[in-house]
Every structure is written in structure tokens, then in C-alpha cells.
Amino acid sequence: MRISQLSDRAGLPVGTVKFYLRTGLLHHGFATSATQALYDDTHLERLRLVRALLEVGRLSHADIQRVLNALGQAGDEPLDAIETFGRAAAPLIDGIDEEDLAAARSVTAELGWQISPDSPHLPDLARCLAALHSVGVAPSRERVRTYAEAASHVARHDLQAVADSDERSRPVEAVMGATLYDNFFSSLHRLAVENQVSRQRSRVPAPRVSVPSA
Amino acid sequence: MRISQLSDRAGLPVGTVKFYLRTGLLHHGFATSATQALYDDTHLERLRLVRALLEVGRLSHADIQRVLNALGQAGDEPLDAIETFGRAAAPLIDGIDEEDLAAARSVTAELGWQISPDSPHLPDLARCLAALHSVGVAPSRERVRTYAEAASHVARHDLQAVADSDERSRPVEAVMGATLYDNFFSSLHRLAVENQVSRQRSRVPAPRVSVPSA
């Protein structure tokens, strides 16, 4: 298909598609002249992936580039794919305080998790804990445990989904598990809060029990 | 304290503090002359909150403005505070397809959640589901349930944390529950995946059982 059809089907302006071609987020088409090229379904799939990561995952251009680079490197083996995209999607964070990192490591140690001391995911946890601490609402040990249980619960399912996927959809499944499924969780989290607030509100107030006078 | 001390203690350049003053993210200090003002702990607390929402929560300037406006409006009652900040922190999403919205509503209905049909959290879920669908890895019914269980698990704790907080820290607790605790979950989620990959890898391979020939 021509670039105009590709742009139509991906729901993106031609200018945006050209921008992705220039910056390498989209691979080049099959050139039919000096100014024209043809594109196929691999281009459409790639554009949909970029769009999802950008608009919903709110990943930066550089983050998407790292994730897409990993697409060419990840092995077929499910655990490899999960690890590769997990690392590629880890936010790049510089200048984390060593003390904050140590605090993050002790959180995962207390949970009994097998985490590499130089895991790319630790700086993110460290920064988050430091921010919560700075505004005076650091999580209690019990809250850490509650969140960790929930995270383990969905992580088990993420691994299973990648293992169960066929070879063709496996990379996308692994990429989404490392990116958009966090947004999926956030939106469900907000709705779960709304649900529970609404349930607590609609509870009929307990009838007043009059204390019999002695 | 002077603006230079405030900037030091908040870990932000003076120029940034001035920018927040100009744009209203920070309330004005007590003017001591035409060009000087004094600031107190309320300014420091506000700066730490803005910084956490901006740097870790990755909220936009406009989103932070909405959350801060809500700080002045939320009631003291825990459910009010949770609801107000939840609404303020909901991403503003325009132009969601009516069909996508209906799909999101049917997901929450199937979960048995009490969600207002015009909940500000539904467009986010709708967009996320549409994006996952567009790249060919829409969640199975079982995966939706797994994520919803995890979301409910942490939501229960979020409500409890706000209810248990004292009047002074309650608004910040509610703001963080609606914003940074999602980042906290994401970082734990990635670490939980790393933990499970690492556990599966370190498992001693099952010994080969030689099938006895008949």
C-alpha cells in the first residue's frame, strides 16, 4: 500500500508516518521510485505498536526506540523475551542516591524476591519510595506487602500469557506486559477505588441502638 | 525563609521555584519589599508535592494544577477526599469512541463493580483496551479478572490508609493514593516479574526420565 493508505489504516497523519520513517521508529518501505515506496502489514503493525506505546503507554520517543530495538534482539524463548523487554522498558533514571537504592534493595530483600543488585528496576522503586517519603506518606510495611502481593499476582499471569502465546504474537505480548499492562492496571485501580467508595457510600447506615437506661 | 533557602531545601533551582510562583503551582510568600518575600513550611511542603507529582508521577503541569486545586476543595471526610483527588487525577481524554467506552463499561459490569456510567476513569480504561486490541493482545477474560483482583486488593488498602490518616496528612495521603501509588505498583510489578523469571531460571531442570522400552 501507499503511504496515504498506511496513514489512513493506522489512524495517523501522513506527516507523522514520515516523521517515524525519518527517526527510525518505522522501517522503510519498498522503494518504487525516488519519492515513492510501498508498505505492507508489517508497517501497519509497527505503527499501531508505536501509537499504543506513545499515546497510551506515554513512553517517550527514546523509550520506544529502546523497546523497538529490543524487538530485533529478543530470543524466542518466553523468559528471554520477558526479560529483554522488561529491561528495555525500565525507565532510565540517573543520579539516584545510594541510600535510596539501598532502601529499595532492602524492600525487595524483605519480600524474599530474587532481584539482581543492579536490576534496572531498582532505581525506579528507590525514586518512588523517596518521593513518598519526602511528602510524608511513606508506605507502611503492610502496605508494601499488599502492593507486592498484587504485583506478584499479575506478574504470574503476565509470564503465563507470554508462555502461552504463539511465536508470532510473543514479542508483542512481552512488550505489552512490560508497558501497557501497567496502564491497564492503573485504570482498573482507579475504578476499583471508585467501586469501593461507592459501595461504602451506599451502605445503609446501621440502625441506632438505643442503650437501655440502667 | 528566603527564596534561596526554600530552593535549597526543596532541591529545586530558584528559577524553577519562581516559575511555580508565576504559574500558580506555588502560593505566594509574605512580601517584605517589592522584590523580596518570606516563605514557610507550607511552601516547602507544596514544592515537595509538586516535585513528586512531576518527577515521579510524571503528571503534566495542567494535571498537577487540577490536583492542587482539588486540595483546596476536598472535604475532610475520607471518602470525599479519595473521590475528589481520584477525579482530579483522572487523565483527561477526549474523543473516545462510543464503542470503546461501551466495551469498558461492560468490563466493569462483568466484574460487578459499582461504576458511574460517566465515570472519568472509564475513558482511560476504554483507550487502554482499544490499544491492546489494536496490537492484537487484548486481555483474556481471565487476565481482566486477575488484574481486577489485584486492583481491588490495593484499593482496599488505599481506602484504609486514608481513613487511618490524621486530618493533616489526609489530603496528601489521598493525593498520593490517586497518583504516585500507581508508580509504586509499576515498579513493584516489574520487580515481581524479574523475581519470577529469576526463580524459573534457577530451577534445577527436572531429571530426564528414560522411558523403559516395552
Side-chain angles (χ1 to χ4, degrees), chain B:
Chain B
M1 69 189 109
R2 299 236 176 130
I3 196 166
S4 56
Q5 284 171 288
L6 177 65
S7 132
D8 260 5
R9 291 183 61 190
L12 287 167
V14 170
T16 304
V17 176
K18 286 185 176 168
F19 174 70
Y20 292 165
L21 282 168
R22 266 203 314 280
T23 53
L25 289 191
L26 182 65
H27 47 296
H28 287 283
F30 178 77
T32 53
S33 79
T35 55
Q36 288 209 318
L38 289 179
Y39 302 89
D40 59 24
D41 282 348
T42 65
H43 295 90
L44 185 59
E45 282 169 19
R46 173 60 57 97
L47 279 180
R48 286 183 175 148
L49 189 58
V50 169
R51 198 179 162 189
L53 293 172
L54 201 67
E55 294 181 4
V56 183
R58 274 173 282 170
L59 268 69
S60 70
H61 202 279
D63 287 339
I64 294 178
Q65 193 73 68
R66 279 189 297 136
V67 170
L68 294 181
N69 288 346
L71 268 181
Q73 295 158 7
D76 283 342
E77 202 268 314
L79 293 183
D80 269 347
I82 292 165
E83 197 171 39
T84 305
F85 293 116
R87 287 186 168 260
L92 288 180
I93 299 170
D94 283 332
I96 287 288
D97 202 275
E98 199 46 51
E99 214 172 298
D100 292 339
L101 261 183
R105 279 193 203 105
S106 82
V107 162
T108 57
E110 194 162 325
L111 291 167
W113 286 1
Q114 283 184 13
I115 302 297
S116 152
D118 59 351
S119 163
H121 308 298
L122 281 170
D124 191 39
L125 178 63
R127 195 177 58 158
C128 194
L129 286 169
L132 288 168
H133 189 79
S134 79
V135 296
V137 293
S140 65
R141 191 165 286 193
E142 196 197 335
R143 195 169 195 177
V144 170
R145 191 156 289 280
T146 302
Y147 269 73
E149 282 163 0
S152 291
H153 190 56
V154 303
R156 258 191 300 279
H157 202 104
D158 294 340
L159 263 68
Q160 200 54 52
V162 174
D164 290 347
S165 60
D166 56 43
E167 225 167 277
R168 198 177 131 59
S169 63
R170 181 162 298 155
V172 177
E173 187 73 68
V175 168
M176 290 296 133
T179 55
L180 245 61
Y181 269 99
D182 270 336
N183 301 77
F184 182 56
F185 180 85
S186 295
S187 58
L188 283 176
H189 181 196
R190 285 168 187 170
L191 286 160
V193 168
E194 179 179 334
N195 170 48
Q196 286 174 27
V197 168
S198 148
R199 279 181 190 281
Q200 290 201 15
R201 281 249 168 82
S202 61
R203 241 178 238 161
V204 182
R208 280 175 184 250
V209 178
S210 58
V211 180
S213 50

Side-chain angles (χ1 to χ4, degrees), chain A residues 9 19 37 45 62 71 88 92 95-97 107 113 118-119 138-139 172 176 181 192 201 205 207 211 214:
Chain A
R9 290 184 61 190
F19 175 70
E45 283 170 19
L71 268 179
L92 288 180
I96 286 289
D97 202 275
V107 162
W113 286 2
D118 58 352
S119 164
V172 178
M176 290 295 132
Y181 269 100
R201 281 250 167 80
V211 180

